[in-house]
């Protein structure tokens, strides 16, 4: 990672009033949670058509629940890492800070992040798969049975957004607005392979946000962003936060008053 890039990122954060973070599975990798598309990722070992689509659930709900219950078990026994904690601490540094995540693991919230917008739902909620519309939130681990049942007797389904399903409308709007109004957007640990979520940092940049990527590898978003810092989020984000905090303290009083 070039020092120049790091300094530019720290400077941009030092002068920012509104910041948004857009995160993906990579931020939870250092907590021992597998990503989807990196080596050894979930989609290497599972057919997403079978475990992450409404059709797959219809065909074999037990298989789908085995998949999600195993993911819930892994996250239940995991902890947020320094990357999650750095983002939670950032909330106290800026006038406005929004965390927009594609992750369903809830580790941002467990690290103390206040305003988290979950674009793809959560492993910790479930709802009736039929029409009774019952929502179980929180839906703690372990489930009472696998597959679990709704109080109406029908199956419950995981509270996540599957491929082919719409994102929650209000959360989508809030995420687009928050990122578009941000001075800086941090894109952390995502391949940018899944839309419409991947459109959020690109739209924010079009609205004038300075967009910084943190990823050990090039992603599908890299060429559309302002800056890309190569490395692990658990290492880069705490350092970036410290550098930005130091620089913010040096700002002229007029800027501080804002
Ligand atoms: N720090 C930062 N980035 C990392 C780290 C790390 N420690 N480890 C891996 N990465 C990066 C990888 O290089 C990769 O670009 O995280 C990214 C993970 O990409 P994916 O596995 O594709 O995960 P994500 O982008 O979150 O997937 C998007 O796809 O399967 C669906 O709904 C699911 O929300 C998910 C969406």
């Amino acid at each position: 990672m070039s020092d120049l890039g790091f300094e530019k990122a720290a400077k941009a954060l030092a002068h920012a009033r509104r910041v948004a973070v857009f995160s993906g599975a990579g931020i939870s990798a250092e907590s021992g949670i597998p990503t989807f598309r990196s080596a050894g990722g979930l989609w290497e070992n599972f057919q997403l058509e079978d475990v992450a689509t409404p059709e797959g659930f219809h065909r074999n709900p037990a298989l789908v629940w085995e998949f999600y219950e195993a993911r819930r078990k892994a996250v239940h026994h995991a902890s947020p890492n320094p990357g999650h904690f750095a983002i939670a601490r950032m909330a106290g540094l800026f006038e406005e800070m929004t965390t927009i995540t594609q992750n369903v693991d809830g580790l941002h919230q467990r690290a103390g992040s206040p305003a988290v917008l979950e674009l793809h739902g959560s492993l910790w909620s479930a709802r009736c798969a039929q029409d009774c519309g019952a929502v179980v939130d929180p839906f703690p681990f372990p489930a009472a049975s696998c597959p679990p049942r709704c109080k109406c007797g029908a199956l419950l389904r995981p509270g996540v957004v599957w491929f082919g399903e719409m994102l929650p409308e209000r959360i989508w709007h809030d995420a687009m607005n928050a990122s578009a109004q941000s001075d800086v957007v941090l894109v952390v640990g995502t391949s940018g392979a899944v839309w419409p979520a991947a459109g959020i940092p690109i739209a924010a940049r079009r609205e004038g946000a300075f967009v910084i990527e943190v990823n050990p590898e090039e992603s599908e978003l890299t060429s559309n962003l302002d800056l890309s810092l190569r490395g692990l989020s658990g290492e880069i984000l705490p350092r970036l936060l410290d550098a930005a905090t130091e620089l913010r303290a040096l700002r002229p009083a007029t800027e501080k008053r804002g």
Side-chain angles (χ1 to χ4, degrees):
M1 175 183 56
S2 78
D3 291 348
L4 198 59
F6 183 86
E7 277 160 31
K8 238 176 150 180
K11 232 185 238 149
L13 283 170
H15 297 285
R17 296 170 66 184
R18 294 190 188 90
V19 170
V21 168
F22 176 75
S23 70
I27 195 166
S28 297
E30 292 156 87
S31 295
I33 307 299
T35 67
F36 295 94
R37 293 172 188 80
S38 311
L42 289 171
W43 298 149
E44 254 183 32
N45 304 311
F46 296 90
Q47 292 295 319
L48 70 83
E49 296 78 13
D50 293 342
V51 295
T53 63
E55 297 77 20
F57 184 74
H58 188 69
R59 277 195 306 272
N60 190 343
L63 175 73
V64 171
W65 268 110
E66 266 169 44
F67 173 72
Y68 282 97
E69 202 58 3
R71 290 182 61 192
R72 284 159 33 92
K73 183 176 183 182
V75 177
H76 179 76
H77 293 293
S79 302
N81 66 62
H84 295 109
F85 288 116
I87 290 174
R89 281 170 42 212
M90 281 184 193
L93 201 61
F94 305 106
E95 272 174 46
E96 270 176 51
M97 167 80 184
T98 310
T99 303
I100 302 161
T101 190
Q102 300 168 90
N103 299 347
V104 293
D105 57 26
L107 290 177
H108 281 299
Q109 293 93 325
R110 278 172 58 191
S113 281
V116 180
L117 298 173
E118 296 178 307
L119 295 169
H120 294 160
S122 170
L123 289 172
W124 312 111
S125 79
R127 63 179 186 273
C128 183
Q130 299 300 331
D131 303 333
C132 102
V135 172
V136 185
D137 189 347
F139 182 61
F141 174 82
S145 63
C146 204
R149 293 217 162 250
C150 176
K151 59 183 179 5
C152 74
L155 282 174
L156 284 174
R157 60 154 287 170
V160 300
V161 178
W162 282 326
F163 289 92
E165 293 187 319
M166 299 284 288
L167 273 56
E169 205 172 335
R170 187 191 56 75
I171 292 174
W172 171 253
H173 278 291
D174 291 355
M176 283 294 273
N177 289 340
S179 54
Q181 289 162 13
S182 291
D183 305 305
V184 173
V185 174
L186 285 170
V187 176
V188 182
T190 183
S191 61
V194 171
W195 287 73
I200 289 176
I202 295 174
R205 187 163 183 249
R206 221 179 292 129
E207 298 294 325
F210 187 74
V211 186
I212 304 163
E213 178 178 52
V214 177
N215 195 319
E217 292 168 19
E218 189 163 313
S219 75
E220 295 182 24
L221 290 168
T222 304
S223 58
N224 292 301
L225 309 182
D226 294 291
L227 194 53
S228 199
L229 304 180
R230 287 276 163 272
L232 306 181
S233 49
E235 290 169 7
I236 291 180
L237 292 176
R239 286 181 49 221
L240 200 50
L241 175 66
D242 292 345
T245 306
E246 259 175 54
L247 288 172
R248 277 180 87 79
L250 301 172
R251 290 173 307 158
T254 46
E255 189 183 321
K256 283 184 191 166
R257 273 197 297 279

